[in-house]
C-alpha cells in the first residue's frame, strides 16, 4: 500500500508545572526536509525529534512544533528586573515627549506593567524540566505513529486512484492493438489516395517498396511492448511495501515518452486519439504521484 507525503498529527498533555502540546505536519517534497520549533531551554530535544522522524519517514517536508506553558497556579511567577527597568524607562521617555508636545499622558499603573510581555516569568527546577523532557521523548513515537497513520490513510486513496489509472491504461493499450490491426488497410488507402492527388504513375513494385518503408517507420511494436512493461512495473510498485514515489515519478515520464512516440508514428486517426487519451491519463496520474512517499 502506498503512503502519502501529506499528513498531520497532534498530542498534548501535562507534567509537573507544565502543559505541553506538539504537532507534526507533512507535505510533499523531493527529499526529506525536517524543520523543528522547540523551546531553547529543552536542550537536545531538537536532535531527538529529527532523528526519530528520519527513522520513520523517507520523503516529505515536515514541520514539528512544540509549545510549553506553565500550568496556572502551580509555580510562583517571578519579576524580571531588567524588563521592569526597560518598561519604566520607556514610560518616562514617552511621558516627556508627550509633555513637550503639549499632550496629556495618563499615569501608568501596575496593571499596565503586568500586561507587558516578559515582565513576569516563571522558573521551575531542573527536576521538573527533566520530567518534561522525559515525557516528551516518550510521547514522540506516539505522535509519529499517528502521523504515519494519517499519511497511510491518504495513501490508500492515492493507491485506489493510481490503480484505476493502470487499469485504464491497460484498456487503452488493448484498444491500440485493435487500431493497429485496422491501420494496415487504412494506411494503404490513404497512401494510394495521396499518389492519385499527385497525379503520378508509379509502378506496383515501387509502390509496394515505398509502402514498406513507410510501414517500417510507422511500426509501433517497440512502443507497445514498452508500455506493457511499464504497466507491469506500475503494478509491482503498487504492491510494494517500500517508498515508491520517486520510482513512480520516473515511470510516469517513461509512460509519457512512449505515448508521445505512439502519437508521432501512428499514421492513424484512431491510434492518435488513443495516444492522446493516454497522455491525458498519464498527466492525471503524475499529479497524484507527486504526493506519494
Amino acid at each position: 500500500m502506498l503512503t502519502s507525503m501529506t499528513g498531520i498529527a497532534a498530542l498534548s498533555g501535562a507534567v509537573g508545572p507544565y502543559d505541553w502540546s506538539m504537532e507534526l505536519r507533512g507535505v510533499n517534497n523531493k527529499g526529506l526536509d525536517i524543520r523543528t520549533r522547540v523551546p531553547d531551554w529543552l536542550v537536545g530535544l531538537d536532535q531527538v525529534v529529527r532523528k526519530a522522524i528520519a527513522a520513520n519517514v523517507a520523503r516529505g517536508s515536515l514541520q514539528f512544533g512544540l509549545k510549553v506553558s506553565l500550568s496556572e497556579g502551580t509555580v510562583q511567577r517571578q519579576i524580571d528586573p531588567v524588563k521592569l527597568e526597560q518598561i519604566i524607562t520607556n514610560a518616562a521617555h514617552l511621558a516627556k515627549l508627550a509633555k513637550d508636545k503639549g499632550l496629556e499622558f495618563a499615569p501608568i499603573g501596575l496593571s499596565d506593567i503586568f500586561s507587558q510581555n516578559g515582565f513576569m516569568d516563571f522558573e521551575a527546577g531542573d527536576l521538573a524540566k527533566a520530567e518534561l523532557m522525559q515525557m516528551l521523548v516518550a510521547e514522540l513515537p506516539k505522535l509519529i505513529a499517528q502521523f504515519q497513520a494519517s499519511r497511510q490513510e491518504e495513501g490508500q486513496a492515492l493507491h485506489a486512484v493510481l490503480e484505476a489509472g493502470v487499469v485504464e491504461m491497460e484498456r487503452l493499450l488493448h484498444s491500440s492493438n485493435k487500431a493497429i490491426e485496422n491501420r494496415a488497410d487504412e494506411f494503404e488507402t490513404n497512401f494510394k489516395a495521396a499518389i492519385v492527388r499527385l497525379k503520378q504513375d508509379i509502378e506496383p513494385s515501387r509502390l509496394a517498396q515505398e509502402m514498406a518503408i513507410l510501414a517500417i517507420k510507422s511500426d509501433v511494436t517497440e512502443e507497445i511492448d514498452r508500455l506493457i512493461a511499464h504497466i507491469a512495473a506500475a503494478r509491482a510498485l503498487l504492491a510494494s511495501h517500500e517508498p515508491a514515489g520517486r520510482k513512480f515519478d520516473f515511470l510516469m515520464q517513461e509512460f509519457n515518452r512512449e505515448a508521445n512516440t505512439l502519437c508521432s508514428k501512428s499514421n492513424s486517426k484512431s491510434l492518435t486519439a488513443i495516444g492522446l487519451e493516454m497522455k491525458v491519463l498519464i498527466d492525471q496520474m503524475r499529479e497524484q504521484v507527486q504526493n506519494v512517499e
Side-chain angles (χ1 to χ4, degrees):
M1 185 63 65
L2 300 178
T3 299
S4 171
M5 283 188 280
T6 303
I8 184 172
L11 287 178
S12 61
V15 56
Y18 298 108
D19 292 328
W20 58 267
S21 63
M22 55 183 172
E23 182 182 80
L24 181 59
R25 293 175 176 266
V27 295
N28 60 320
N29 194 53
K30 290 184 178 181
L32 180 60
D33 179 26
I34 303 173
R35 301 181 183 183
T36 61
R37 192 170 63 251
V38 301
D40 293 338
W41 50 273
L42 289 173
V43 181
L45 182 60
D46 177 83
Q47 295 180 354
V48 173
V49 170
R50 290 177 179 275
K51 185 176 180 180
I53 294 174
N56 291 274
V57 180
R59 289 178 67 202
S61 177
L62 284 77
Q63 291 186 339
F64 173 88
L66 171 66
K67 294 181 180 179
V68 179
S69 60
L70 180 67
S71 300
E72 288 297 329
T74 56
V75 176
Q76 284 189 342
R77 290 181 177 270
Q78 296 181 347
I79 295 175
D80 184 341
V82 175
K83 183 67 176 180
L84 177 58
E85 181 65 28
Q86 290 176 348
I87 293 172
I88 294 174
T89 299
N90 291 337
H93 181 64
L94 289 173
K96 184 178 183 303
L97 288 177
K99 184 178 180 180
D100 293 341
K101 298 292 184 180
L103 301 174
E104 293 185 1
F105 190 84
I108 294 178
L110 289 176
S111 60
D112 297 314
I113 297 175
F114 184 81
S115 65
Q116 299 298 306
N117 292 332
F119 167 61
M120 301 288 281
D121 202 355
F122 68 86
E123 280 291 336
D126 292 339
L127 179 60
K129 293 179 181 179
E131 289 177 348
L132 173 63
M133 186 76 163
Q134 185 178 4
M135 173 170 278
L136 292 174
V137 172
E139 293 293 313
L140 186 58
K142 298 179 185 178
L143 180 73
I144 295 175
Q146 185 186 120
F147 177 69
Q148 290 291 71
S150 172
R151 298 168 82 225
Q152 288 165 3
E153 183 177 354
E154 184 166 337
Q156 291 179 358
L158 290 174
H159 191 283
V161 171
L162 291 174
E163 189 170 39
V166 172
V167 171
E168 178 64 11
M169 184 63 71
E170 282 186 318
R171 186 192 69 78
L172 291 173
L173 194 60
H174 181 69
S175 298
S176 69
N177 286 327
K178 289 185 176 180
I180 291 171
E181 292 176 2
N182 300 326
R183 189 177 62 158
D185 294 336
E186 182 183 348
F187 179 74
E188 183 176 358
T189 300
N190 292 338
F191 187 79
K192 289 181 177 179
I195 297 300
V196 171
R197 287 195 297 271
L198 292 174
K199 297 180 179 180
Q200 293 185 2
D201 293 329
I202 299 180
E203 295 180 0
S205 59
R206 177 65 185 277
L207 180 62
Q209 183 181 12
E210 293 296 330
M211 286 183 61
I213 293 173
L214 288 176
I216 292 173
K217 290 182 178 179
S218 302
D219 182 50
V220 292
T221 302
E222 290 185 6
E223 286 72 22
I224 296 298
D225 288 343
R226 281 194 286 266
L227 284 171
I228 292 173
H230 294 340
I231 289 174
R235 289 197 176 280
L237 290 176
L238 286 170
S240 174
H241 297 289
E242 300 296 327
R246 289 182 178 177
K247 292 181 179 179
F248 236 127
D249 189 37
F250 175 75
L251 189 59
M252 289 299 102
Q253 296 178 38
E254 295 301 305
F255 265 118
N256 193 59
R257 182 178 291 109
E258 301 308 329
N260 282 333
T261 307
L262 189 67
C263 288
S264 64
K265 295 171 66 175
S266 69
N267 281 323
S268 165
K269 291 181 179 180
S270 57
L271 190 57
T272 298
I274 292 171
L276 292 175
E277 283 189 67
M278 286 183 176
K279 286 173 62 64
V280 171
L281 176 62
I282 292 165
D283 283 341
Q284 293 172 346
M285 293 176 68
R286 182 184 289 175
E287 289 181 6
Q288 301 300 322
V289 166
Q290 300 307 310
N291 291 318
V292 178
E293 183 181 32

